[in-house]
Amino acid sequence: MDKRAVNLLYKSLSEILKIRNCELLKTDIVKRDFYSYSQEPFHPIQGRSPKWTSLEDSVKAVRSGDTVFVHSAAATPTPLLGALADHGKKSSLKNVTVCHIHIEGKAAHLDPECEGIFRDNSFFIGANVRGAVNEGRADCVPIFLSEIPLLFKRGIVPIDVALIQVSPPDKHGFCSMGVSVDVSRMAVQCAKYIIGQVNPQMPRTFGDGIIHMSHFDAMVEHDAPMHVRHTTKMTDVEKTIGELIAENLVDNGATLQMGIGNIPDSVLAALKDHKDLGIHSEMFSDGVVDLVEAGCVTNHHKKVLPGKIVGSFCIGSKKLYDFLDNNPFVLMGDVQWVNYSPIIAQNPKVTAINSCIEVDLTGQVAADSIGTRMYSGFGGQVDFLRGAAICPEAGKPILALPATTKRGESKIVPVLKEGDLS
């Protein structure tokens, strides 16, 4: 090929690339047309403010075929979710996907009359959607909690609309995602349209959950108590398990992660004589507040954010939420780094305390399903078990369970049930 032909080919390829780059740029602008130049929630977008509106009007942006993300756990914006269900029925929407990790309250979009309008897709299953998942009326994705934000970032699960509950804007226009930062921060960064339910009772927390109001397209005022955790009475067996773990496996100066349930709660209740404990956990509840008040939690020896309690989401009682509100002792972080095993392992004596459903004689554990019946999903348990296992300074991954069910059936079995997820 002569020099002239090479130059022509180079020029043609350059023009093609220019056109392609323009197309990509246009696509990006269409996708994120409400951002001037930053997707960073901390960044105030000059000259932009949300429309303050009603619940009913705020969700009219949702159309057939959209994917809607719902804020997690105690931060679940249940009134917005109810308004979404009503909008779907009134507007005869079709094939709207509602995705989330564990949500609280009534899941109105799963009512029988919403069949064909909404399809729920859980990345971690709560009690309010568990029946629908196991009946085949809803879906679930088995995935580690730390990896869920990648689904949004990579466009595998594109978010059209995000329903988020936040604290009121401060004098600078910043809101807080409060008790649930988890995967919700990335959902906000990737959503094309963001609706904020503004609740004065949402605790204002520090860390990655700060978002400027200019990132919202619509805001709705709703003053109501936060969702609280409903606990069952702790059994004598669970108390004994907690005491055994606390006395024999938790060292002074350990960095703790606790799952949710009576066994992790019983361990926390038995740690009142321990010293210099640290907290780096995907979630925590009232038991941590009790340890702080007893002087047991100092976070002094932690390597990752020493001196601070690190969490990603919280659910508990009003006592917990009052403790979290405007408390710089607590940092709520993006689950991508909070649950990243190599980061977890940097802390000393990482002690991950979780419960499970069944264990067989080879040591295989089922923690996510009962046979083929989905119970929860992977969540962050494995993230922290790995982090504790690779911790170079006396890490301890702990899985505990009573020997029998409430009906007297053994939880220690020769082989796991067919379909068990470990």
Side-chain angles (χ1 to χ4, degrees):
M1 187 180 292
D2 62 24
K3 187 175 180 180
R4 182 170 175 275
V6 170
N7 288 336
L8 284 172
L9 179 61
Y10 177 78
K11 185 176 180 182
S12 299
L13 287 171
S14 297
E15 292 300 318
I16 291 169
L17 286 171
K18 284 180 184 177
I19 293 168
R20 178 58 180 155
N21 285 337
C22 287
E23 288 174 350
L24 287 171
L25 184 60
K26 287 176 184 176
T27 302
D28 193 51
I29 290 171
V30 169
K31 180 181 178 183
R32 310 207 61 91
D33 61 354
F34 52 91
Y35 286 111
S36 56
Y37 52 88
S38 175
Q39 299 169 223
E40 173 51 58
F42 284 113
H43 166 237
I45 303 172
Q46 301 303 319
R48 189 174 192 279
S49 59
K51 178 182 179 183
W52 289 89
T53 184
S54 65
L55 284 167
E56 182 181 13
D57 288 341
S58 68
V59 295
K60 287 182 179 178
V62 178
R63 301 175 181 176
S64 293
D66 277 355
T67 295
V68 179
F69 174 83
V70 182
H71 204 175
S72 319
T76 306
T78 304
L80 274 177
L81 200 51
L84 176 66
D86 291 339
H87 168 57
K89 288 180 282 188
K90 289 176 184 176
S91 303
S92 301
L93 299 184
K94 293 182 180 179
N95 303 321
V96 176
T97 300
V98 178
C99 67
H100 52 81
I101 58 173
H102 162 218
I103 56 174
E104 289 286 329
K106 180 174 172 55
H109 64 291
L110 283 172
D111 289 346
E113 58 266 34
C114 291
E115 187 80 26
I117 301 174
F118 301 103
R119 183 77 179 186
D120 191 270
N121 190 19
S122 297
F123 306 120
F124 188 79
I125 302 168
N128 53 359
V129 301
R130 188 173 294 133
V133 169
N134 286 300
E135 291 165 14
R137 296 187 293 110
D139 302 313
C140 67
V141 177
I143 185 171
F144 300 127
L145 192 60
S146 61
E147 296 178 346
I148 294 171
L150 292 176
L151 296 180
F152 310 146
K153 187 175 183 179
R154 293 174 178 173
I156 298 168
V157 178
I159 306 297
D160 295 294
V161 180
L163 308 182
I164 305 294
Q165 184 167 200
V166 293
S167 67
D170 65 11
K171 66 179 182 180
H172 301 292
F174 287 98
C175 304
S176 169
M177 295 169 70
V179 296
S180 285
V181 179
D182 45 65
V183 306
S184 303
R185 189 181 197 273
M186 182 58 74
V188 163
Q189 285 185 273
C190 296
K192 301 172 188 174
Y193 195 91
I194 307 170
I195 304 170
Q197 179 178 297
V198 181
N199 187 355
Q201 299 192 48
M202 168 67 87
R204 188 174 188 83
T205 61
F206 296 86
D208 296 331
I210 303 298
I211 175 171
H212 195 267
M213 64 185 297
S214 57
H215 287 259
F216 287 92
D217 295 272
M219 278 186 154
V220 177
E221 289 184 301
H222 187 81
D223 189 341
M226 303 297 296
H227 290 288
V228 296
R229 180 183 163 204
H230 302 288
T231 58
T232 58
K233 186 178 179 181
M234 199 176 296
T235 66
D236 290 339
V237 170
E238 289 166 339
K239 288 179 183 177
T240 301
I241 292 172
E243 290 167 359
L244 288 169
I245 292 172
E247 293 169 8
N248 297 283
L249 295 175
V250 181
D251 299 325
N252 288 331
T255 303
L256 302 180
Q257 175 264 335
M258 300 74 55
I260 193 166
N262 281 355
I263 288 178
D265 287 350
S266 69
V267 177
L268 292 174
L271 289 173
K272 298 291 176 61
D273 292 327
H274 280 62
K275 297 178 181 179
D276 278 339
L277 297 173
I279 307 293
H280 183 117
S281 183
E282 65 177 312
M283 67 82 58
F284 60 88
S285 193
D286 293 62
V288 167
V289 182
D290 296 335
L291 287 180
V292 170
E293 292 176 347
C296 303
V297 174
T298 65
N299 300 291
H300 173 64
H301 296 290
K302 285 175 59 189
K303 299 296 190 294
V304 179
L305 291 164
K308 290 185 180 291
I309 291 173
V310 172
S312 193
F313 70 95
C314 296
I315 181 165
S317 69
K318 189 176 184 299
K319 176 182 178 179
L320 173 67
Y321 304 145
D322 288 344
F323 169 77
L324 291 171
D325 188 41
N326 272 316
N327 189 348
F329 189 38
V330 181
L331 186 143
M332 301 295 288
D334 187 324
V335 79
Q336 288 182 103
W337 68 264
V338 172
N339 279 42
Y340 186 50
S341 298
I343 288 178
I344 294 165
Q346 292 175 35
N347 287 310
K349 302 178 182 178
V350 175
T351 306
I353 305 163
N354 294 275
S355 56
C356 56
I357 296 169
E358 193 175 64
V359 60
D360 74 10
L361 297 179
T362 69
Q364 293 186 104
V365 171
D368 311 301
S369 71
I370 302 170
T372 56
R373 182 162 60 90
M374 290 301 300
Y375 185 76
S376 59
F378 292 126
Q381 186 183 90
V382 175
D383 295 330
F384 277 90
L385 292 174
R386 284 175 175 166
I390 64 175
C391 173
E393 190 181 340
K396 295 175 183 175
I398 299 169
L399 282 168
L401 75 168
T404 60
T405 66
K406 293 177 182 177
R407 292 180 291 185
E409 299 171 352
S410 179
K411 291 189 173 189
I412 304 168
V413 295
V415 292
L416 298 181
K417 292 183 179 68
E418 185 178 357
D420 268 339
L421 290 177
S422 57

